Amino acid sequence: MSHIFPRHTKSSPPTVARGEGVYLYDQTGKQYLDGSGGAAVSCLGHGDADVTAAIKAQLDQVAFAHTGFFTSAPAEALADLLIEHAPAGLERVYLVSGGSEAMEAALKLARQYYLEIGQPARRSIIARRQSYHGNTLGALATGGNMWRREPFAPLMIDTSHIAPCYAYRHQQAGESAEAYGLRAANELEAEILRLGPETVMAFVAEPVVGATAGAVPPAPGYFKRIREICDQYGVLLILDEVMCGMGRTGTLFACEQDGIAPDITAIAKGLGAGYQPIGAMLCSGAIYKAIEDGSGFFQHGHTYIGHPVAAAAALAVVTKLTGGGLVERAQAMGETLQAALADAFGQHPHVGDIRGRGLFRGIELVEERESKRPFAPERGIAKALKKATFEAGLICYPMGGTIDGKNGDHILLAPPFILEDSHVDEIVTKLETAMRQVL
């Protein structure tokens, strides 16, 4: 009998024994291609010798020192490297232990910033429906996924939600991609005016929507208009790059492809590539200066922020991403994967859309292609696909509720950046096997 509190009490997952490259192995020796990097985490694959060596070397120096007393060399070096490659204006890095912590830090910093500059009325957060920003209460309240939110709604801060930028579902017939992007972005201005501009603190969005909608990229020009609206009304733009950042979409920061810079951004997952639990919140020099010139103290913190071993691991990871050509590889292999998915499933009667950027790809499943009608939720398509792909030796990330938290199904793929052409073929073959079985 296990004393672990599992994710689901009615399932008994196998025990992982080892990892090597793009594969994980259970205790029976069965091999699984990690086609989703866990949850878009394992960008370097498993068993990377350089990252392992960095962790061991740091352990030989010091494992832990509380940031109330010390900084550390790996934390400082990691922050320097991130800012060197960050979008313009971002100047400071706040290291935490994961994505939800990074988003909580972002939200609290936004609120404190307005207190420091004498605008205490700004408290409202605007986000998007079908977004996901983490499982702690502040991050969960900000997210727009109803299935995740509903049980805990009485405990949450108020957040308003506008429509996502989701061309497959919301772009109208005869409407250009640019016109749709502008229309979707202008919902933000309408919501700011409804709430009262003097009350709005921040707009929060994923540049490429991950778990809840399946690698949905923005329409052209969408985020440029969002940036204009935020600037016009003095609202902070917080970009959640926890899943889509750190090279996953083909640039180190996902927002680079949209030609904008946020005021605050959150990163995690690929930052540590699974080798250590780590995340980070990056903020602009202007926000940092408001704290520095005001109280001087960000009223926040966790025991393990800036953990030296986690920072050493992340430093090794980001060094490989930036200096080792792996971000460029993610872009190139992403195009290879997209082409293979389109070739195999582009005319599949139950595949409505194949989308994404870099090695962040989503397949939206439908019961009927022409009308885009989703499968009935009672069919449990995503759950069945997760089981069937796993049995076939492929780890991927199927999810239900794609459209509105209840209806719709998709498969998310986010394999390691070390992917080879043969692995792409294996992903497609095993997906075909599972989809034949389920659909």
Side-chain angles (χ1 to χ4, degrees), residues 35-283:
S36 62
V41 173
S42 299
C43 56
L44 301 187
H46 305 280
D48 186 283
D50 296 327
V51 183
T52 302
I55 292 169
K56 290 178 178 177
Q58 184 58 42
L59 285 170
D60 287 339
Q61 298 299 315
V62 59
F64 172 72
H66 195 281
T67 53
F69 303 97
F70 294 97
T71 186
S72 70
E76 295 287 343
L78 174 60
D80 290 345
L81 185 58
L82 286 171
I83 294 304
E84 179 186 343
H85 293 278
L90 295 179
E91 294 182 8
R92 295 284 173 161
V93 178
Y94 191 90
L95 295 174
V96 292
S97 298
S100 294
E101 281 189 20
M103 284 304 300
E104 292 285 335
L107 297 170
K108 290 180 73 175
L109 180 63
R111 172 60 180 166
Q112 187 172 336
Y113 166 73
Y114 285 114
L115 293 177
E116 299 275 5
I117 65 171
Q119 297 184 31
R122 289 191 185 265
R123 59 175 294 276
S124 298
I125 300 166
I126 303 172
R128 302 188 295 184
R129 294 189 290 275
Q130 278 307 92
S131 59
Y132 176 66
H133 299 298
N135 260 333
T136 50
L137 285 173
L140 188 61
T142 303
N145 184 260
M146 293 302 108
W147 173 76
R148 288 176 169 89
R149 288 170 49 92
E150 282 176 351
F152 308 102
L155 309 179
M156 290 181 187
I157 58 173
D158 288 335
T159 307
S160 62
H161 294 91
I162 63 173
C165 188
Y166 185 2
Y168 175 66
R169 289 285 169 185
H170 299 315
Q171 185 176 340
Q172 296 172 357
E175 184 177 36
S176 70
E178 291 78 10
Y180 166 62
L182 183 62
R183 177 168 63 85
N186 282 336
E187 283 201 29
L188 174 59
E189 183 175 35
E191 185 64 7
I192 290 172
L193 294 173
R194 186 187 74 82
L195 293 169
E198 71 284 354
T199 72
V200 180
M201 183 175 85
F203 175 64
V204 182
E206 301 164 88
V208 181
V209 182
T212 53
V216 177
Y222 172 81
F223 273 110
K224 285 197 172 181
R225 178 60 184 144
I226 290 290
R227 180 72 268 183
E228 290 173 358
I229 294 167
C230 289
D231 290 342
Q232 180 180 350
Y233 295 101
V235 172
L236 295 179
L237 176 59
I238 300 176
L239 293 184
D240 176 354
E241 296 209 3
V242 168
M243 184 173 266
C244 64
M246 293 296 97
R248 175 56 62 188
T249 61
T251 48
L252 189 65
F253 289 85
C255 64
E256 294 176 46
Q257 296 174 55
D258 298 291
I260 62 157
D263 301 294
I264 302 174
T265 192
I267 55 175
K269 296 189 185 291
L271 176 62
Y275 289 88
Q276 288 281 286
I278 190 168
M281 179 268 290
L282 285 68
C283 75

Side-chain angles (χ1 to χ4, degrees), residues 340-342 344-354 362-367 369 375 379 381-382 384-392 394 396 398 409-413 426-439:
L341 293 173
F345 304 114
Q347 299 304 313
H348 193 288
H350 298 302
V351 171
D353 194 28
I354 304 171
I363 303 171
E364 184 163 342
L365 304 168
V366 292
E367 187 169 24
R369 275 171 61 104
F375 287 99
R379 289 279 302 272
I381 293 295
L385 277 168
K386 183 178 180 181
K387 181 180 179 182
T389 53
F390 196 68
E391 287 175 351
L394 173 65
C396 60
D409 300 276
H410 69 265
I411 300 168
L412 184 66
L413 295 169
E426 185 177 346
I427 288 171
V428 170
T429 298
K430 290 181 174 179
L431 269 179
E432 286 177 323
T433 299
M435 287 171 68
R436 275 196 303 272
Q437 180 181 332
V438 173
L439 303 177

